[in-house]
Amino acid sequence: VGSLKFLKVKSRATNVPLSPYSENALFGMGNPLLDISAVVDKDFLDKYGLKPNDQILAEDNHKALFEEIVKKSHVEYHAGGATQNSVKIAQWMLQEPHKVGTFFGCIGEDRFGEILKQKAREAHVDAHYYEQNSEPTGTCAACITGDNRSLVANLAAANCYKKEKHLDLESNWELVQKAKVYYIAGFFLTVSPESILKVAKHVSDNNKVFCMNLSAPFISQFFKEDLMKIMPYVDVLFGNETEAATFAKEQGFKTEDIAQIARDCQNLPKQNEKRRRVVVFTQGKDDTVATVTTFPVVDIDQSAIVDTNGAGDAFVGGFLSQLVVESPLEECIRAGHYAANVIIQRVGCTFPEKPDFH
């Protein structure tokens, strides 16, 4: 497990080995959201029944929250959505060539949608959005208090992704086939599990690498059936300590030990037996657990932390950047820690022009 070395990945259609650095080598699909980020106080959290550190889907009682947060001073808008963030970070870490990362998701035909398209272009991500006009582009309120962030996602258009209207189109499916590493956050299970399954089966049948994230406790609790349909196809499973604990409880694992939960996840049934499942659980400032070993995170002065929003997405993005170039597990995790360390010292999931990762 010390290495994630690929068995030579070949495209079945052409039988040509895929170069590690080809365009569209990394494929992501998920909920594209415009993050609306602002510092709030405890009264604001209490008013809308929010925990300081959580991710939830917006309900009717949160409608006023979106109207209120945009009136705060120092509101920032950033292209977001977990999977899109990770693909963007992976592209930033790799730098060249542009468009290593492909992203699919659904947006509205509106100003926020145009901002997301522009931000994807600026990040050199090859985004192919399904655009529709029945719902506006999705938003995510990032309510920042100190080192904590409470995320409230109003999926709107992101919820309208349709497999038959986008993923199944020949030109789009060709982009899926071009990739060799795939990443989909668990959040997308609430939108289009059938799209995830189609991609996961393609990956497994062609001995490529499928990565997934537990994403939030509510996914393991309320979308358990769909999650467990996908799990046999998962080669790399990500999550944080809270998500891991919730998943273990829902699955009836008889342990609260994160390292043991990782091993139990590794031993769940697996479709493609040529690849042993790798499980990676982050624990904030504590060591990252990766199935059989732990890796210390980068030390940071707590006062340097500006905003932890996007830290998990950044970790995955850094990890994926090295997975695409066939680095060993240790390097993938080191890159993940580096990217997360950069992101928590900035507002939102944003980054400097170039990485300083060697």
Side-chain angles (χ1 to χ4, degrees), residues 235-257:
D235 298 304
V236 183
L237 179 68
F238 296 104
N240 66 23
E241 73 277 34
T242 316
E243 294 150 10
T246 305
F247 179 78
K249 190 177 172 192
E250 292 296 324
Q251 292 301 316
F253 294 171
K254 299 282 188 276
T255 181
E256 292 179 8
D257 177 72

PDB file of all heavy atoms in Angstrom, residues 235-257:
ATOM      1  N   ASP A 235     -11.578   2.924  -5.713  1.00  0.00           N
ATOM      2  CA  ASP A 235     -10.170   2.548  -5.524  1.00  0.00           C
ATOM      3  C   ASP A 235      -9.494   3.392  -4.447  1.00  0.00           C
ATOM      4  O   ASP A 235      -8.623   2.913  -3.730  1.00  0.00           O
ATOM      5  CB  ASP A 235      -9.395   2.716  -6.841  1.00  0.00           C
ATOM      6  CG  ASP A 235      -9.930   1.815  -7.937  1.00  0.00           C
ATOM      7  OD1 ASP A 235      -9.970   0.591  -7.713  1.00  0.00           O
ATOM      8  OD2 ASP A 235     -10.320   2.321  -9.008  1.00  0.00           O
ATOM      9  N   VAL A 236      -9.875   4.681  -4.368  1.00  0.00           N
ATOM     10  CA  VAL A 236      -9.339   5.564  -3.328  1.00  0.00           C
ATOM     11  C   VAL A 236     -10.520   6.264  -2.666  1.00  0.00           C
ATOM     12  O   VAL A 236     -11.308   6.933  -3.337  1.00  0.00           O
ATOM     13  CB  VAL A 236      -8.370   6.630  -3.916  1.00  0.00           C
ATOM     14  CG1 VAL A 236      -7.782   7.488  -2.787  1.00  0.00           C
ATOM     15  CG2 VAL A 236      -7.252   5.981  -4.721  1.00  0.00           C
ATOM     16  N   LEU A 237     -10.649   6.080  -1.354  1.00  0.00           N
ATOM     17  CA  LEU A 237     -11.746   6.697  -0.605  1.00  0.00           C
ATOM     18  C   LEU A 237     -11.189   7.774   0.316  1.00  0.00           C
ATOM     19  O   LEU A 237     -10.278   7.520   1.109  1.00  0.00           O
ATOM     20  CB  LEU A 237     -12.480   5.642   0.227  1.00  0.00           C
ATOM     21  CG  LEU A 237     -13.645   6.163   1.079  1.00  0.00           C
ATOM     22  CD1 LEU A 237     -14.812   6.626   0.193  1.00  0.00           C
ATOM     23  CD2 LEU A 237     -14.126   5.086   2.069  1.00  0.00           C
ATOM     24  N   PHE A 238     -11.728   8.984   0.199  1.00  0.00           N
ATOM     25  CA  PHE A 238     -11.326  10.099   1.056  1.00  0.00           C
ATOM     26  C   PHE A 238     -12.420  10.404   2.080  1.00  0.00           C
ATOM     27  O   PHE A 238     -13.593  10.110   1.865  1.00  0.00           O
ATOM     28  CB  PHE A 238     -11.122  11.377   0.222  1.00  0.00           C
ATOM     29  CG  PHE A 238     -10.008  11.300  -0.783  1.00  0.00           C
ATOM     30  CD1 PHE A 238     -10.286  11.133  -2.141  1.00  0.00           C
ATOM     31  CD2 PHE A 238      -8.681  11.430  -0.387  1.00  0.00           C
ATOM     32  CE1 PHE A 238      -9.265  11.083  -3.074  1.00  0.00           C
ATOM     33  CE2 PHE A 238      -7.653  11.384  -1.316  1.00  0.00           C
ATOM     34  CZ  PHE A 238      -7.940  11.207  -2.669  1.00  0.00           C
ATOM     35  N   GLY A 239     -12.025  11.072   3.157  1.00  0.00           N
ATOM     36  CA  GLY A 239     -12.987  11.581   4.129  1.00  0.00           C
ATOM     37  C   GLY A 239     -12.234  12.254   5.261  1.00  0.00           C
ATOM     38  O   GLY A 239     -11.007  12.175   5.332  1.00  0.00           O
ATOM     39  N   ASN A 240     -12.973  12.935   6.142  1.00  0.00           N
ATOM     40  CA  ASN A 240     -12.329  13.444   7.355  1.00  0.00           C
ATOM     41  C   ASN A 240     -12.787  12.598   8.537  1.00  0.00           C
ATOM     42  O   ASN A 240     -13.577  11.657   8.386  1.00  0.00           O
ATOM     43  CB  ASN A 240     -12.596  14.948   7.549  1.00  0.00           C
ATOM     44  CG  ASN A 240     -14.061  15.270   7.824  1.00  0.00           C
ATOM     45  OD1 ASN A 240     -14.835  14.425   8.290  1.00  0.00           O
ATOM     46  ND2 ASN A 240     -14.461  16.490   7.522  1.00  0.00           N
ATOM     47  N   GLU A 241     -12.279  12.910   9.732  1.00  0.00           N
ATOM     48  CA  GLU A 241     -12.534  12.040  10.883  1.00  0.00           C
ATOM     49  C   GLU A 241     -14.011  11.980  11.263  1.00  0.00           C
ATOM     50  O   GLU A 241     -14.521  10.913  11.656  1.00  0.00           O
ATOM     51  CB  GLU A 241     -11.660  12.468  12.079  1.00  0.00           C
ATOM     52  CG  GLU A 241     -12.058  13.759  12.786  1.00  0.00           C
ATOM     53  CD  GLU A 241     -11.547  15.033  12.116  1.00  0.00           C
ATOM     54  OE1 GLU A 241     -11.449  15.086  10.872  1.00  0.00           O
ATOM     55  OE2 GLU A 241     -11.290  16.008  12.840  1.00  0.00           O
ATOM     56  N   THR A 242     -14.740  13.085  11.098  1.00  0.00           N
ATOM     57  CA  THR A 242     -16.170  13.098  11.438  1.00  0.00           C
ATOM     58  C   THR A 242     -16.966  12.239  10.461  1.00  0.00           C
ATOM     59  O   THR A 242     -17.840  11.457  10.854  1.00  0.00           O
ATOM     60  CB  THR A 242     -16.720  14.543  11.379  1.00  0.00           C
ATOM     61  OG1 THR A 242     -15.787  15.409  12.013  1.00  0.00           O
ATOM     62  CG2 THR A 242     -18.056  14.659  12.078  1.00  0.00           C
ATOM     63  N   GLU A 243     -16.650  12.395   9.177  1.00  0.00           N
ATOM     64  CA  GLU A 243     -17.334  11.609   8.136  1.00  0.00           C
ATOM     65  C   GLU A 243     -17.027  10.121   8.302  1.00  0.00           C
ATOM     66  O   GLU A 243     -17.921   9.272   8.150  1.00  0.00           O
ATOM     67  CB  GLU A 243     -16.897  12.092   6.755  1.00  0.00           C
ATOM     68  CG  GLU A 243     -17.349  13.515   6.456  1.00  0.00           C
ATOM     69  CD  GLU A 243     -16.423  14.290   5.527  1.00  0.00           C
ATOM     70  OE1 GLU A 243     -15.496  13.695   4.937  1.00  0.00           O
ATOM     71  OE2 GLU A 243     -16.627  15.521   5.410  1.00  0.00           O
ATOM     72  N   ALA A 244     -15.765   9.807   8.629  1.00  0.00           N
ATOM     73  CA  ALA A 244     -15.360   8.408   8.822  1.00  0.00           C
ATOM     74  C   ALA A 244     -16.135   7.791   9.993  1.00  0.00           C
ATOM     75  O   ALA A 244     -16.643   6.666   9.895  1.00  0.00           O
ATOM     76  CB  ALA A 244     -13.863   8.319   9.083  1.00  0.00           C
ATOM     77  N   ALA A 245     -16.245   8.533  11.090  1.00  0.00           N
ATOM     78  CA  ALA A 245     -16.948   8.027  12.281  1.00  0.00           C
ATOM     79  C   ALA A 245     -18.431   7.784  11.986  1.00  0.00           C
ATOM     80  O   ALA A 245     -19.007   6.770  12.399  1.00  0.00           O
ATOM     81  CB  ALA A 245     -16.791   9.019  13.428  1.00  0.00           C
ATOM     82  N   THR A 246     -19.051   8.714  11.244  1.00  0.00           N
ATOM     83  CA  THR A 246     -20.472   8.556  10.890  1.00  0.00           C
ATOM     84  C   THR A 246     -20.665   7.356   9.969  1.00  0.00           C
ATOM     85  O   THR A 246     -21.583   6.548  10.150  1.00  0.00           O
ATOM     86  CB  THR A 246     -21.016   9.831  10.202  1.00  0.00           C
ATOM     87  OG1 THR A 246     -20.769  10.943  11.045  1.00  0.00           O
ATOM     88  CG2 THR A 246     -22.503   9.717   9.922  1.00  0.00           C
ATOM     89  N   PHE A 247     -19.774   7.222   8.980  1.00  0.00           N
ATOM     90  CA  PHE A 247     -19.861   6.094   8.047  1.00  0.00           C
ATOM     91  C   PHE A 247     -19.748   4.776   8.823  1.00  0.00           C
ATOM     92  O   PHE A 247     -20.539   3.846   8.606  1.00  0.00           O
ATOM     93  CB  PHE A 247     -18.747   6.194   6.993  1.00  0.00           C
ATOM     94  CG  PHE A 247     -18.755   5.057   6.004  1.00  0.00           C
ATOM     95  CD1 PHE A 247     -19.674   5.031   4.960  1.00  0.00           C
ATOM     96  CD2 PHE A 247     -17.852   4.008   6.115  1.00  0.00           C
ATOM     97  CE1 PHE A 247     -19.694   3.972   4.039  1.00  0.00           C
ATOM     98  CE2 PHE A 247     -17.862   2.948   5.202  1.00  0.00           C
ATOM     99  CZ  PHE A 247     -18.784   2.933   4.165  1.00  0.00           C
ATOM    100  N   ALA A 248     -18.785   4.712   9.752  1.00  0.00           N
ATOM    101  CA  ALA A 248     -18.571   3.486  10.539  1.00  0.00           C
ATOM    102  C   ALA A 248     -19.817   3.131  11.353  1.00  0.00           C
ATOM    103  O   ALA A 248     -20.234   1.972  11.419  1.00  0.00           O
ATOM    104  CB  ALA A 248     -17.377   3.676  11.472  1.00  0.00           C
ATOM    105  N   LYS A 249     -20.409   4.142  11.947  1.00  0.00           N
ATOM    106  CA  LYS A 249     -21.616   3.932  12.763  1.00  0.00           C
ATOM    107  C   LYS A 249     -22.757   3.413  11.891  1.00  0.00           C
ATOM    108  O   LYS A 249     -23.458   2.456  12.244  1.00  0.00           O
ATOM    109  CB  LYS A 249     -22.004   5.268  13.422  1.00  0.00           C
ATOM    110  CG  LYS A 249     -23.083   5.152  14.467  1.00  0.00           C
ATOM    111  CD  LYS A 249     -23.360   6.498  15.122  1.00  0.00           C
ATOM    112  CE  LYS A 249     -24.573   6.411  16.030  1.00  0.00           C
ATOM    113  NZ  LYS A 249     -25.028   7.733  16.442  1.00  0.00           N
ATOM    114  N   GLU A 250     -22.945   4.039  10.725  1.00  0.00           N
ATOM    115  CA  GLU A 250     -24.035   3.641   9.822  1.00  0.00           C
ATOM    116  C   GLU A 250     -23.830   2.229   9.265  1.00  0.00           C
ATOM    117  O   GLU A 250     -24.793   1.523   8.964  1.00  0.00           O
ATOM    118  CB  GLU A 250     -24.158   4.644   8.668  1.00  0.00           C
ATOM    119  CG  GLU A 250     -24.652   6.024   9.086  1.00  0.00           C
ATOM    120  CD  GLU A 250     -26.068   6.009   9.637  1.00  0.00           C
ATOM    121  OE1 GLU A 250     -26.900   5.232   9.136  1.00  0.00           O
ATOM    122  OE2 GLU A 250     -26.342   6.773  10.590  1.00  0.00           O
ATOM    123  N   GLN A 251     -22.556   1.837   9.109  1.00  0.00           N
ATOM    124  CA  GLN A 251     -22.248   0.511   8.551  1.00  0.00           C
ATOM    125  C   GLN A 251     -22.155  -0.569   9.628  1.00  0.00           C
ATOM    126  O   GLN A 251     -21.929  -1.737   9.318  1.00  0.00           O
ATOM    127  CB  GLN A 251     -20.924   0.569   7.760  1.00  0.00           C
ATOM    128  CG  GLN A 251     -20.992   1.394   6.490  1.00  0.00           C
ATOM    129  CD  GLN A 251     -22.031   0.890   5.511  1.00  0.00           C
ATOM    130  OE1 GLN A 251     -22.149  -0.319   5.270  1.00  0.00           O
ATOM    131  NE2 GLN A 251     -22.821   1.795   4.953  1.00  0.00           N
ATOM    132  N   GLY A 252     -22.297  -0.139  10.893  1.00  0.00           N
ATOM    133  CA  GLY A 252     -22.239  -1.113  11.979  1.00  0.00           C
ATOM    134  C   GLY A 252     -20.837  -1.610  12.287  1.00  0.00           C
ATOM    135  O   GLY A 252     -20.666  -2.702  12.846  1.00  0.00           O
ATOM    136  N   PHE A 253     -19.802  -0.833  11.907  1.00  0.00           N
ATOM    137  CA  PHE A 253     -18.439  -1.192  12.313  1.00  0.00           C
ATOM    138  C   PHE A 253     -18.389  -1.075  13.841  1.00  0.00           C
ATOM    139  O   PHE A 253     -18.892  -0.113  14.399  1.00  0.00           O
ATOM    140  CB  PHE A 253     -17.395  -0.233  11.713  1.00  0.00           C
ATOM    141  CG  PHE A 253     -17.264  -0.294  10.213  1.00  0.00           C
ATOM    142  CD1 PHE A 253     -16.499   0.657   9.534  1.00  0.00           C
ATOM    143  CD2 PHE A 253     -17.882  -1.284   9.463  1.00  0.00           C
ATOM    144  CE1 PHE A 253     -16.365   0.627   8.157  1.00  0.00           C
ATOM    145  CE2 PHE A 253     -17.756  -1.325   8.077  1.00  0.00           C
ATOM    146  CZ  PHE A 253     -17.001  -0.371   7.421  1.00  0.00           C
ATOM    147  N   LYS A 254     -17.721  -1.988  14.488  1.00  0.00           N
ATOM    148  CA  LYS A 254     -17.709  -1.971  15.960  1.00  0.00           C
ATOM    149  C   LYS A 254     -16.481  -1.217  16.489  1.00  0.00           C
ATOM    150  O   LYS A 254     -15.764  -1.721  17.355  1.00  0.00           O
ATOM    151  CB  LYS A 254     -17.707  -3.412  16.491  1.00  0.00           C
ATOM    152  CG  LYS A 254     -18.929  -4.223  16.070  1.00  0.00           C
ATOM    153  CD  LYS A 254     -20.154  -3.862  16.903  1.00  0.00           C
ATOM    154  CE  LYS A 254     -21.318  -4.786  16.649  1.00  0.00           C
ATOM    155  NZ  LYS A 254     -22.117  -4.434  15.496  1.00  0.00           N
ATOM    156  N   THR A 255     -16.207  -0.041  15.946  1.00  0.00           N
ATOM    157  CA  THR A 255     -15.031   0.711  16.397  1.00  0.00           C
ATOM    158  C   THR A 255     -15.220   2.200  16.156  1.00  0.00           C
ATOM    159  O   THR A 255     -15.962   2.595  15.254  1.00  0.00           O
ATOM    160  CB  THR A 255     -13.758   0.233  15.663  1.00  0.00           C
ATOM    161  OG1 THR A 255     -12.639   0.968  16.153  1.00  0.00           O
ATOM    162  CG2 THR A 255     -13.859   0.448  14.149  1.00  0.00           C
ATOM    163  N   GLU A 256     -14.549   3.008  16.971  1.00  0.00           N
ATOM    164  CA  GLU A 256     -14.498   4.453  16.737  1.00  0.00           C
ATOM    165  C   GLU A 256     -13.074   4.883  16.409  1.00  0.00           C
ATOM    166  O   GLU A 256     -12.795   6.064  16.234  1.00  0.00           O
ATOM    167  CB  GLU A 256     -15.019   5.209  17.977  1.00  0.00           C
ATOM    168  CG  GLU A 256     -16.507   4.986  18.204  1.00  0.00           C
ATOM    169  CD  GLU A 256     -17.035   5.700  19.446  1.00  0.00           C
ATOM    170  OE1 GLU A 256     -16.280   6.489  20.041  1.00  0.00           O
ATOM    171  OE2 GLU A 256     -18.198   5.454  19.802  1.00  0.00           O
ATOM    172  N   ASP A 257     -12.157   3.900  16.333  1.00  0.00           N
ATOM    173  CA  ASP A 257     -10.753   4.179  16.024  1.00  0.00           C
ATOM    174  C   ASP A 257     -10.614   4.446  14.521  1.00  0.00           C
ATOM    175  O   ASP A 257     -10.967   3.593  13.697  1.00  0.00           O
ATOM    176  CB  ASP A 257      -9.889   2.980  16.432  1.00  0.00           C
ATOM    177  CG  ASP A 257      -8.431   3.177  16.067  1.00  0.00           C
ATOM    178  OD1 ASP A 257      -7.768   3.990  16.720  1.00  0.00           O
ATOM    179  OD2 ASP A 257      -7.981   2.522  15.105  1.00  0.00           O
TER     180      ASP A 257
END
